[in-house]
Amino acid sequence: MNSKHKLLTLITATVAFSSLTVGTVLAQAKLTNQSKLTLNGIGTVRVGMTVKEATRAAGTKLVGDAPNNSCYYVKPQGEPQNIGFMVAGGRISRVDVYKNSRVTTFSGARIGDTEAQIKSLYPGQITVTPHQYVIGGHYLTLTPKDRAYSNYRLIFETDGKRVTQLRSGKLPEVEFVEGCS
């Protein structure tokens, strides 16, 4: 094999490997049920993105009602189901997870966990307040220790025993009990 042929083989192998690596990264970036909910987003979708930017980051189309006011929701077309993105002022401001126990936080918190489990996952960071609509229910609000995230919250809604919904995002939208209503 001459040096020109070796160089061509090396370039071909490098391009193939690069394509495989880019494809792997893009596949991992797609929003799925395994995407982790964080204080400021889920998977690669972040609070502050426009819907167009979030669609690109999610790797799936985000659909919803026509943006006829300053606050509305979009959701992934297809999977993962039961996730909504609040859009306020033209940007993602919060993520809502409901009826989807497969989506977890990085600490493993999910729908169906007990209040005690949530408190043990986030010791000293949970504030408990009464639920506005569920008798005996609570809001377990995680206030982050890191000052960089002081404008964000993670809120677990419970029936008094187990988590029924969760949401994360920036203040004040993350605390809107009735969403955009």
Side-chain angles (χ1 to χ4, degrees):
M1 190 183 285
N2 63 29
S3 62
K4 190 174 181 180
H5 191 257
K6 285 181 183 177
L7 179 61
L8 184 58
T9 302
L10 178 62
I11 290 170
T12 305
T14 302
V15 169
F17 178 74
S18 296
S19 298
L20 176 64
T21 304
V22 169
T24 302
V25 169
L26 290 175
Q28 291 171 345
K30 185 172 171 59
L31 192 62
T32 69
N33 284 311
Q34 286 71 46
S35 299
K36 301 299 181 195
L37 183 69
T38 64
L39 286 164
N40 67 339
I42 184 169
T44 55
V45 177
R46 294 285 168 255
V47 167
M49 289 180 165
T50 64
V51 174
K52 186 176 181 179
E53 291 168 337
T55 295
R56 201 172 315 120
T60 188
K61 189 171 182 173
L62 299 180
V63 297
D65 297 329
N68 59 359
N69 58 28
S70 62
C71 185
Y72 61 98
Y73 275 87
V74 293
K75 63 183 180 179
Q77 186 175 35
E79 293 292 327
Q81 293 186 350
N82 301 312
I83 293 175
F85 296 95
M86 178 188 281
V87 181
R91 299 197 172 267
I92 304 293
S93 59
R94 96 181 200 190
V95 181
D96 292 58
V97 179
Y98 44 94
K99 298 179 188 170
N100 186 333
S101 61
R102 296 191 314 178
V103 171
T104 68
T105 66
F106 273 111
S107 297
R110 69 179 66 224
I111 290 175
D113 283 352
T114 65
E115 288 190 3
Q117 285 173 299
I118 300 302
K119 291 174 189 174
S120 72
L121 286 171
Y122 305 102
Q125 291 182 276
I126 299 291
T127 303
V128 180
T129 54
H131 199 290
Q132 275 192 289
Y133 297 106
V134 178
I135 296 171
H138 300 108
Y139 300 109
L140 307 181
T141 303
L142 168 74
T143 302
K145 293 177 184 176
D146 187 339
R147 284 202 169 137
Y149 294 99
S150 63
N151 196 38
Y152 296 88
R153 298 291 182 271
L154 178 56
I155 300 175
F156 302 90
E157 291 192 34
T158 77
D159 59 8
K161 293 180 176 35
R162 295 192 174 273
V163 175
T164 57
Q165 301 185 77
L166 54 151
R167 62 183 181 267
S168 69
K170 70 180 192 69
L171 295 171
E173 292 90 341
V174 71
E175 292 183 329
F176 293 170
V177 173
E178 296 176 355
C180 288
S181 299

mmCIF file of all heavy atoms in Angstrom, residues 66 91 143 146 148:
data_model
loop_
_atom_site.group_PDB
_atom_site.id
_atom_site.type_symbol
_atom_site.label_atom_id
_atom_site.label_comp_id
_atom_site.label_asym_id
_atom_site.label_seq_id
_atom_site.Cartn_x
_atom_site.Cartn_y
_atom_site.Cartn_z
ATOM 1 N N ALA A 66 -51.592 27.808 19.265
ATOM 2 C CA ALA A 66 -50.975 28.967 18.627
ATOM 3 C C ALA A 66 -50.653 29.996 19.713
ATOM 4 O O ALA A 66 -51.466 30.228 20.611
ATOM 5 C CB ALA A 66 -51.926 29.558 17.593
ATOM 6 N N ARG A 91 -40.167 32.649 25.357
ATOM 7 C CA ARG A 91 -39.078 31.737 25.752
ATOM 8 C C ARG A 91 -39.584 30.675 26.731
ATOM 9 O O ARG A 91 -40.510 30.911 27.487
ATOM 10 C CB ARG A 91 -37.946 32.517 26.396
ATOM 11 C CG ARG A 91 -37.357 33.531 25.426
ATOM 12 C CD ARG A 91 -35.999 34.017 25.854
ATOM 13 N NE ARG A 91 -35.410 34.831 24.800
ATOM 14 C CZ ARG A 91 -34.608 34.373 23.858
ATOM 15 N NH1 ARG A 91 -34.291 33.110 23.812
ATOM 16 N NH2 ARG A 91 -34.108 35.188 22.941
ATOM 17 N N THR A 143 -35.237 24.484 46.914
ATOM 18 C CA THR A 143 -34.519 25.738 46.691
ATOM 19 C C THR A 143 -33.044 25.376 46.599
ATOM 20 O O THR A 143 -32.482 24.829 47.548
ATOM 21 C CB THR A 143 -34.774 26.724 47.846
ATOM 22 O OG1 THR A 143 -36.187 26.942 47.945
ATOM 23 C CG2 THR A 143 -34.070 28.050 47.594
ATOM 24 N N ASP A 146 -26.823 26.438 45.295
ATOM 25 C CA ASP A 146 -25.916 27.153 44.400
ATOM 26 C C ASP A 146 -26.530 28.495 43.989
ATOM 27 O O ASP A 146 -27.612 28.543 43.410
ATOM 28 C CB ASP A 146 -25.654 26.285 43.160
ATOM 29 C CG ASP A 146 -24.603 26.850 42.235
ATOM 30 O OD1 ASP A 146 -24.326 28.061 42.284
ATOM 31 O OD2 ASP A 146 -24.058 26.058 41.442
ATOM 32 N N ALA A 148 -25.875 30.416 41.628
ATOM 33 C CA ALA A 148 -26.072 30.541 40.182
ATOM 34 C C ALA A 148 -27.492 30.123 39.785
ATOM 35 O O ALA A 148 -27.985 30.517 38.731
ATOM 36 C CB ALA A 148 -25.050 29.700 39.430
#
